[in-house]
Amino acid sequence: FPEMLSNPKLVLVQGALNVVLKQNVTLSCLSESGSPPVRYTLFRHNQQVSALNRSDLTPALFTLTISSASDAGEYKCKAECNTSTGGKYSNSLSFTLLEPISKPVLSSPTSQAKKGQNVTLSCLSENGSLPITYLFFKGTQNISPQKTMQKREAAVIFLFIDSFSDFGTYKCKANNSFPNTTKYSNGFNFTLAEERSHSQPLILSLGLILLLLITGLALAIPLFVVPLYKASE
């Protein structure tokens, strides 16, 4: 009696599930029981990619080149033989396309600060496959634990400006699973905010009073001096 066809197993035999563009991968599809010949069909997003016939119970090997983002995603295979109807489907395997990150941008809501002030720094790479890991530096010394972002959003740290040494150059770096693509940001410097002297309001007030006195004096001369001059004639 013909043996019942089992659900095939789809296995990655060459490459990785995290792939870069132009990478080759090989998938194996095999039903461990059934009556040959068996036809194996590979699908990507429910669309047929390739088909192979096997006259015995040996795996069908599908070699693919990931040439664009559309080649990533979910794959399945289907096994069919003459004694089965409808065929049997395998488990799924999903490829994730790795993209290099872009140069991160380091920014802050304020570029000026003074001693005793709390400030924030944000680091963001707008392109690149997630997750992305960020690390902040002042000079060559890191100033925060690594921050791994699962979404396309900035990593943020909070700083306290405690001394003039905190006004140095800050940078951040970003990396993801794409090989050898660590990128560093631009440098960012806080400038010292000018603190208004306590004597400035007093000086302004005295200057305003003096101006009012001069103006009042100028107005009073025609009212008092001119009539006195006429009376003396």
Side-chain angles (χ1 to χ4, degrees):
F1 293 97
E3 189 175 5
M4 182 72 69
L5 186 70
S6 63
N7 285 83
K9 292 181 180 179
L10 186 63
V11 179
L12 179 69
V13 294
Q14 180 187 347
L17 292 178
N18 291 327
V19 293
V20 298
L21 286 178
K22 308 302 181 183
Q23 181 175 339
N24 292 327
V25 295
T26 302
L27 298 174
S28 167
C29 186
L30 174 65
S31 290
E32 294 181 345
S33 62
S35 297
V38 181
R39 180 175 177 83
Y40 294 99
T41 306
L42 185 68
F43 293 89
R44 178 183 64 242
H45 304 303
N46 297 321
Q47 292 185 335
Q48 181 174 330
V49 175
S50 182
L52 293 171
N53 294 316
R54 286 290 177 265
S55 58
D56 53 14
L57 293 179
T58 57
L61 298 178
F62 299 96
T63 298
L64 311 169
T65 300
I66 306 299
S67 56
S68 68
S70 62
D71 293 330
E74 185 181 81
Y75 285 78
K76 284 186 177 183
C77 74
K78 178 182 180 182
E80 301 170 278
C81 64
N82 294 333
T83 58
S84 64
T85 57
K88 298 290 183 69
Y89 285 90
S90 73
N91 55 296
S92 63
L93 290 177
S94 292
F95 290 100
T96 300
L97 182 64
L98 297 181
E99 296 177 289
I101 53 177
S102 58
K103 180 179 178 179
V105 175
L106 184 64
S107 61
S108 175
T110 179
S111 60
Q112 292 188 329
K114 57 187 178 181
K115 287 178 64 178
Q117 182 177 341
N118 290 306
V119 293
T120 61
L121 282 173
S122 301
C123 186
L124 175 64
S125 288
E126 294 187 350
N127 298 303
S129 50
L130 298 169
I132 298 177
T133 299
Y134 297 94
L135 192 61
F136 291 82
F137 295 86
K138 180 180 172 294
T140 58
Q141 183 178 5
N142 63 17
I143 56 173
S144 73
Q146 287 191 155
K147 293 181 176 288
T148 300
M149 311 304 293
Q150 303 291 339
K151 297 180 180 179
R152 187 76 58 191
E153 56 188 18
V156 179
I157 63 168
F158 300 89
L159 302 173
F160 180 69
I161 303 298
D162 189 41
S163 65
F164 289 111
S165 63
D166 294 327
F167 288 93
T169 300
Y170 293 86
K171 284 189 175 184
C172 68
K173 76 173 182 179
N175 58 62
N176 62 1
S177 299
F178 195 94
N180 304 317
T181 58
T182 296
K183 297 285 182 69
Y184 285 85
S185 73
N186 54 297
F188 186 92
N189 290 75
F190 292 104
T191 57
L192 180 62
E194 294 183 5
E195 296 188 22
R196 295 183 61 182
S197 171
H198 294 298
S199 62
Q200 283 183 339
L202 179 60
I203 294 172
L204 291 174
S205 299
L206 290 174
L208 183 60
I209 292 171
L210 184 60
L211 180 62
L212 291 173
L213 286 173
I214 293 172
T215 304
L217 212 65
L219 292 173
I221 288 173
L223 295 175
F224 295 100
V225 176
V226 173
L228 289 173
Y229 176 76
K230 287 184 178 180
S232 64
E233 289 181 343

